Amino acid sequence: MEQRRSLTGAAVRESAVVAAICLLMIVVLPLVLSEFRLALLAKFLTFAIVALAIDLAWGYTGMLSLGHGVFFGLGAYALAMHMKLEAAKDGLPDFMGWSGLRELPGFWAPFDNGLFALAMVVVLPALLAAGLGILIFRGRVQGVYFSIITQALALIATLVFVGQQPYTGGTNGMTNFSTLFGLPLIETSTQIGLYAVTVIVLGLTYLALRFLTGSRAGAILVAIRDSESRLRFFGYDPALVKVAVFTLSAAIAGIAGALFVPQVGIITPANMGIVPSIEMVIWVAVGGRGTLYGPILGAIVVNGAKSGLSESFPDFWQYFLGAMFVGSVVLFPDGIVGAVARGVKKLKGARSASLTAGATAHDLPSAGRPLEAKS
Amino acid sequence: MEGLPGSTPRRTGGNVLDVYLLQAFNGLSVGSILLLVALGLAFSFGLMGVINMAHGEFIMIGAYAPYVLQQAVGGANNDPYGLTFLAAIPLAFLVTAMMGIGMEWALIRFMYGRPLDTLLATWGVGLMLQQLARSVFGAPNVQVVSPSWLNGGLEVTQGLSLPYKRLFIMLLVVACVAAIWAYLTRSSAGRRMRAVMQNRDIASTLGVPTRQVDASTFGLGAGLAGVAGCALTLLGPIGPALGTYYIVDAFMVVVLGGVGQLLGTIAAAVLIGLANTSFELWSSATVGKAIVLVGIIFFLRWKPAGLVALRSR
Amino acid sequence: MLTAGSALLAACAPAAAPASKPAETKPAAAAPTAAPAKPAESKPAESKPAAAAPAAATSGGSIKVGILHSLSGTMAISETSVRDATLLAIEEINAAGGVMKMKIETVVEDGASDWPTFAEKSKKLISNDKVAVVFGCWTSASRKAVLPVFEQLKGLLFYPVQYEGLEMSPNIFYTGATTNQQIVPAVDYLIEKGMKKQFLLGSDYVFPRTANDIIKAQLKAKGGELAGEEYTPLGHTDYATVITKLKAANPQVVFSTLNGDSNVAFFKQLKDAGITSDKMQTLSVSVAEEEVRGIGAENMLNHLTAWNYFQTTDTPANKKFVEAYKKKFGADRVTDDPIEAGYFGVYLWSKAVEKAGSIEVDKVREAAKNLEFDAPGGKVKVDEKNQHVWKTVRIGKVRADGQFDEVWNSGGPVKPDPYLDGYDWAKDLKKGR
């Protein structure tokens, strides 16, 4: 990988570009877009953060998680609990009342503290991921089995959150918030502020992952994806690395969840379930896995299409959405980014392409392999 | 907690033994249903490594088969012997098998060795099939009148009655498994299928048309989903979203059983069925299901290859 | 922009209170009606935002309204028919000259059985399409998801489904039954008929849980007996174990708050287990004619349901409604309670608009007070305090053709009481609410 050698120069350049794009998005878009469209974009950007998290785990390290909705949800719930307490003032959150609770459950109390809640946004998903990771990676569970286990996790989380209505709000989830850290959510300024924070977090996450994957550690991740046993032979412990990556990925998804909930105004167990978790993977696949910017694009394109199509064709938008998934796999197996890269490659000739497309061109041949059952 | 078996005999004068026997039967019944919905996946996922998320939608299409036939003869009144239901089973198999072969030809064959792409594409196909069902049959559930000879149950003792419909499904599963076994071991097509799945390159060298075998394997998996759909009309709803209720359970069964292992799939289905009904009896449906899933996770950690592991090479 | 936001927030803060705050005396009843007026007075400088939105909905001689139901996903099985009925009512009103001589134009959105999507789409309808009113939602969860949106953006929602009560938003009209117009009289009816030992079976979400809390208090107060209580996940399809538990508990009646597809599985399997209505009666509150079609009438023969309307309800308005509905959507289609509520909701709104001479939410709300209408299910009246609707309670028995025979009715419209303030035995329930 070329970038690694001239890391500093490239790093500075890329950081500058990302910072410029972020700044542009923060300054210009609120002026151009209606409040509703801006809120929609902000929601897509939180999804883009999850897509980055999944790309790290899947695109680079080969762990296809079908349960990232859970981590996203945990982060969202952690902040939602705080906002629910804020909205309830000294009383109980509304859903506890109609579920027959008379007192605030003990584990809710610390969430009154905003800092604690913010910490939990990261800690809860990270702990769960670390626990599950240690359990399954130590047991050398790989490939499809890992995917199906994470899918089971999504189902379990949904069942538990639905079943514990007095503590979690059940199917309804948590909604009807009023303020976040004292800032009224209905105010345009708060919404624009949250949008700006989302853009910045997305930019920072992108850069952090770009440097991580471009570094020596990144090479290890790709080595795990492509040939785990060989890496073990070289004296590395792939299980440990995988636990760390999975945990980091979960924590990022948690942050995305926390950004989602005040902007969308609701979090429900349905957001943690199997369907949204698979959709998250689809964003990454449509965008182009193993590229970081691809998944961001994928999250925005897929969700934009979903919103747009369902507005225009409420009765049969699912045909278009389904066709889009099928089409993207058949026509652009490497995602949007891969398709563009191939186009560029054709134009410039095969020789010089590896310089321009960088990581993309490198990762293409192995892009399909991560999930293969290695038995 | 009302309804615990320990507290029941005093209240009803019933027999605790009956409760346990009935629950054992229910466990086997749930297991047989799980096996029926998972059998098709054992082929497409287990043997071919294709993550077919549209499997649930094949089940759904199978469920509409008896409905279509019943409508065709002008309603259940014109069908006093439930012949349409019997006829629907092979019809469902054929229709979904053809659809499976079509899907294999149009999509799947381009992505062997890339299971994740199959997940993505088949997910899209599933969305479209659901919407198609909604457009063709309408969004509300439709009704299939079960054959009258499947009404009621077999009275074992007073208070222990085994519903004929559940017994029928068990028989159907046994028949399916027997047919599959015979196909794989006794027919040349089945032997070719096994050869390709065990070692594609050598099979190909020996002149086995692997492309054809792939298509028929996938078609068989889809066809079995159709049969499952037919059977499910006896017990559950028939609507466009029907498949979504069964798809995850089906994957769990195949994974727990050990990918590529028919015997393992059978064992896993029965085990999950029994565990589900037992935990549900002691707690609630929600808790029961969660416990079983956690159990599966821990089991896979202990035996990552599932109940029946491939012999190591 | 900023000041406009704070005015909105000030306006909805008191409105949000009744749901989230423990109601000690009866602040809940007072708050919603007071909410819209007060903040505007205290901050007179910033009164522009609310009025601006609906004004844009009347453009070029038409009024834009929104319809928000799940047209895809699991809830589509129920909600598409309500969407149809709403469209039928709008078509009829347009054919008769429209509202205030303006045609009604519809914007249909798909909630996709996903609650955050409901929130997104309601935001879109109110702030982008600037609709005058939205007809929609089915599940409590979807209503709870859109409630803050409607309160904050000052929209207006007509909600057509029976629900668990304990809610009174100034921005919502509830045209379905609240608990005292369906569940409470149904339990009374059962006790009166000697079916005192009741088993509560429901899907695992807020409506069944809240309903069952109410039923338990009622049983205790009226000498009933609780035989058991069981919840299954939404979409659960195997009731073998639940039926084992039912057999063991041996109740006289199963009070079912199961929702959606689960009903099909439950009734099919209940009959297979040899339990017919003469051995164990069931009474459902979420099974209507549409659901019976999917379950199969033979599987539910002689079981009971409680509603405010049946297709067989004998009123002139209903004859006309059923005819029009079948003519438009097919002779094999059936009408039922939520379909009827979705239908007459449009008429209530149009009458309120005519009376107010405006589509502004505050004026429409004021005009709707005590508004009466001859709905297919009998005379309905909008309650002046809580924006629910006075409706006749009916209990019906499933016939072989999938229709219902009414076996009991309340004799006239029952006053809606979403917080059950008029029931002594419900006092304990309200603590902490």
Side-chain angles (χ1 to χ4, degrees), chain A residues 237-309:
Chain A
D237 181 0
L240 213 63
V241 182
K242 284 164 97 173
V243 171
V245 170
F246 191 48
T247 307
L248 176 62
S249 176
I252 296 172
I255 295 171
L259 287 166
F260 171 90
V261 76
Q263 304 192 81
V264 177
I266 181 171
I267 180 73
T268 74
N271 295 98
M272 317 169 80
I274 288 167
V275 173
S277 297
I278 289 179
E279 280 181 358
M280 289 169 181
V281 172
I282 287 179
W283 307 333
V284 179
V286 167
R289 69 201 91 157
T291 61
L292 292 182
Y293 46 92
I296 296 179
L297 219 66
I300 296 172
V301 167
V302 173
N303 285 293
K306 210 173 151 183
S307 277
L309 289 173

Side-chain angles (χ1 to χ4, degrees), chain C residues 75-261:
Chain C
M75 287 314 297
I77 52 166
S78 304
E79 290 191 62
T80 43
S81 301
V82 183
R83 187 263 324 250
D84 291 347
T86 310
L87 285 172
L88 173 66
I90 290 171
E91 194 183 290
E92 287 177 2
I93 292 171
N94 278 341
V99 181
M100 295 195 305
K101 301 215 168 58
M102 285 186 282
K103 289 263 180 281
I104 303 174
E105 211 182 289
T106 51
V107 183
V108 180
E109 286 287 351
D110 178 12
S113 311
D114 178 60
W115 324 143
T117 303
F118 269 93
E120 177 196 317
K121 297 299 185 190
S122 60
K123 233 178 257 174
K124 187 228 166 207
L125 286 171
I126 303 171
S127 68
N128 246 35
D129 299 324
K130 316 230 182 268
V131 297
V133 61
V134 176
F135 302 97
C137 297
W138 177 290
T139 59
S140 282
S142 64
R143 192 193 63 255
K144 293 276 184 209
V146 303
L147 181 139
V149 177
F150 277 90
E151 290 186 347
Q152 285 164 4
L153 301 176
K154 302 210 93 186
L156 189 61
L157 172 71
F158 274 72
Y159 174 68
V161 185
Q162 40 83 241
Y163 83 113
E164 70 278 3
L166 307 175
E167 195 180 288
M168 240 189 252
S169 167
N171 298 78
I172 301 180
F173 280 93
Y174 305 81
T175 57
T178 178
T179 45
N180 80 311
Q181 296 169 308
Q182 187 190 26
I183 288 164
V184 173
V187 173
D188 279 343
Y189 170 82
L190 292 173
I191 291 177
E192 203 176 286
K193 290 281 170 196
M195 290 181 266
K196 291 189 171 163
K197 193 173 170 191
Q198 306 190 359
F199 192 105
L200 310 182
L201 173 64
S203 295
D204 199 349
Y205 72 108
V206 67
F207 166 68
R209 284 187 178 272
T210 313
N212 288 346
D213 277 350
I214 292 168
I215 297 170
K216 280 187 276 184
Q218 196 180 352
L219 286 178
K220 208 166 150 192
K222 306 219 165 156
E225 185 192 336
L226 179 70
E229 188 179 359
E230 193 73 27
Y231 298 95
T232 59
L234 279 166
H236 193 61
T237 50
D238 202 297
Y239 281 85
T241 305
V242 167
I243 290 166
T244 305
K245 289 184 184 181
L246 282 180
K247 277 184 176 166
N250 197 25
Q252 288 165 297
V253 62
V254 180
F255 199 103
S256 162
T257 40
L258 288 178
N259 198 306
D261 280 352

Side-chain angles (χ1 to χ4, degrees), chain B residues 7 35 43 75 81 86 91 96 128 160 170 175 178 196 201 208 246 261-262 276 295-296:
Chain B
S7 63
L35 181 56
F43 284 87
Y81 306 108
L86 284 181
L91 176 76
T96 50
M128 290 194 283
L160 181 63
M170 286 180 186
V196 172
D201 295 335
V208 177
Y246 297 97
Q261 297 299 311
L262 202 57
N276 247 336
I296 293 175

Side-chain angles (χ1 to χ4, degrees), chain B residues 2 8 11-12 22-23 26 30 134 139-143 165-166 233-237 245-246 277 280-281 283 285-286, chain C residues 71-74 76-77 80 204 227-228 233 237-238 240-242 244-245 248 261 264-265 268-269 272 293-294 296 298:
Chain B
E2 281 81 0
T8 48
R11 303 173 81 171
T12 59
L22 184 58
Q23 275 309 101
N26 286 339
V30 172
R134 232 173 255 127
N141 285 326
V142 299
Q143 185 205 354
K165 286 174 189 162
R166 288 182 183 273
T233 62
L234 296 175
L235 297 178
Y245 299 138
Y246 297 97
T277 44
E280 189 183 333
L281 185 68
S283 56
T286 313
Chain C
L71 309 178
S72 61
T74 50
I77 52 166
T80 43
D204 199 349
T237 50
D238 202 297
T241 305
V242 167
T244 305
K245 289 184 184 181
D261 280 352
V264 183
K268 280 185 177 177
Q269 293 167 27
D272 284 341
R293 275 209 309 174
E298 80 277 6

Side-chain angles (χ1 to χ4, degrees), chain A residues 141 179 331:
Chain A
V141 176
T179 53
L331 303 175

Side-chain angles (χ1 to χ4, degrees), chain A residues 34-37 39-40 43-44 84 87-102 159 162-166 169 171-173 175-179 184-190 260 263-271 306-308 310-312 314-315 317-318, chain C residues 1-3 5-6 8-10 12 16 19-22 71-73 80 83 107-110 112-117 119-121 123-125 127-128 140-142 144-149 151-153 164 166-167 204-207 209-210 213 233-234 428-433:
Chain A
S34 73
E35 237 175 278
F36 168 69
R37 295 291 164 200
L40 218 50
K43 178 165 94 173
F44 299 165
K84 219 56 216 157
K89 311 258 163 33
D90 300 319
L92 277 183
D94 46 15
F95 64 84
M96 292 188 184
W98 65 64
S99 305
L101 277 195
R102 302 286 178 265
L159 284 171
V162 168
Q164 300 302 311
Q165 186 182 307
T171 342
N172 286 8
T175 176
N176 215 350
F177 311 114
S178 57
T179 53
L185 288 169
I186 178 66
E187 292 241 23
T188 314
S189 61
T190 312
F260 171 90
Q263 304 192 81
V264 177
I266 181 171
I267 180 73
T268 74
N271 295 98
K306 210 173 151 183
S307 277
S310 69
E311 281 170 17
S312 314
D315 271 310
W317 61 282
Q318 301 232 329
Chain C
M1 280 302 243
L2 297 186
T3 47
S6 68
L8 279 180
L9 186 86
C12 54
S20 52
K21 283 282 256 212
L71 309 178
S72 61
T80 43
R83 187 263 324 250
V107 183
V108 180
E109 286 287 351
D110 178 12
S113 311
D114 178 60
W115 324 143
T117 303
E120 177 196 317
K121 297 299 185 190
K123 233 178 257 174
K124 187 228 166 207
L125 286 171
S127 68
N128 246 35
S140 282
S142 64
K144 293 276 184 209
V146 303
L147 181 139
V149 177
E151 290 186 347
Q152 285 164 4
L153 301 176
E164 70 278 3
L166 307 175
E167 195 180 288
D204 199 349
Y205 72 108
V206 67
F207 166 68
R209 284 187 178 272
T210 313
D213 277 350
L234 279 166
D428 272 356
L429 284 172
K430 279 177 295 185
K431 276 182 199 155
R433 279 190 181 127

